[in-house]
Amino acid sequence: MAIEILTKQDLNDFRTLLLDDIREIFQSKTEQTKQWLKSSEVRKLLNISPGTLQTLRINKTLSYTKIGGIIYYPYKDIEKLLDQNKVSSERTLFNSK
């Protein structure tokens, strides 16, 4: 049976590798977004009232799925809605000659 000696440097190297692995796990989890959001999550995300969210449903501006009494909204449709209503910040300069 071989005896291995661990030094402080070995432990520090292990600690560094372990911390890097843990950071990677946490970053990958935060990058994942939910596929479906509940009404309260959509209202919080868009900073809108329940009535405004209901209007978006009635006008068919935002698609949804209702299961039982809970309404779910696809995250990709919310992103699409935001992209469609994006206002460009570019300025148009007029050359007066």
Side-chain angles (χ1 to χ4, degrees), residues 73-85:
Y73 303 85
Y75 185 78
K76 63 181 175 120
D77 288 355
I78 295 168
E79 283 183 321
K80 189 183 343 177
L81 177 66
L82 290 171
D83 284 339
Q84 289 171 349
N85 291 293

Side-chain angles (χ1 to χ4, degrees), residues 3 6 8 14 20 31 36-38 46 50 54 57-58 60 63 79 86 88 91 94:
I3 297 176
L6 293 175
K8 284 185 178 182
F14 174 73
D20 289 342
E31 290 173 0
W36 293 91
L37 301 175
K38 292 181 179 180
L46 298 177
Q54 182 179 2
R57 283 195 313 265
I58 292 168
K60 298 184 180 180
S63 60
E79 283 183 321
K86 188 184 328 184
S88 176
R91 293 184 180 178
F94 297 101

Side-chain angles (χ1 to χ4, degrees), residues 24-67:
E24 185 178 321
I25 290 170
F26 278 115
Q27 286 176 352
S28 69
K29 284 188 177 185
T30 56
E31 290 173 0
Q32 295 174 354
T33 55
K34 287 182 170 182
Q35 190 174 2
W36 293 91
L37 301 175
K38 292 181 179 180
S39 295
S40 60
E41 295 169 320
V42 174
R43 288 195 326 263
K44 186 175 180 181
L45 180 67
L46 298 177
N47 194 27
I48 58 174
S49 69
T52 302
L53 186 56
Q54 182 179 2
T55 301
L56 292 174
R57 283 195 313 265
I58 292 168
N59 293 339
K60 298 184 180 180
T61 305
L62 191 55
S63 60
Y64 65 95
T65 299
K66 187 172 183 179
I67 301 174

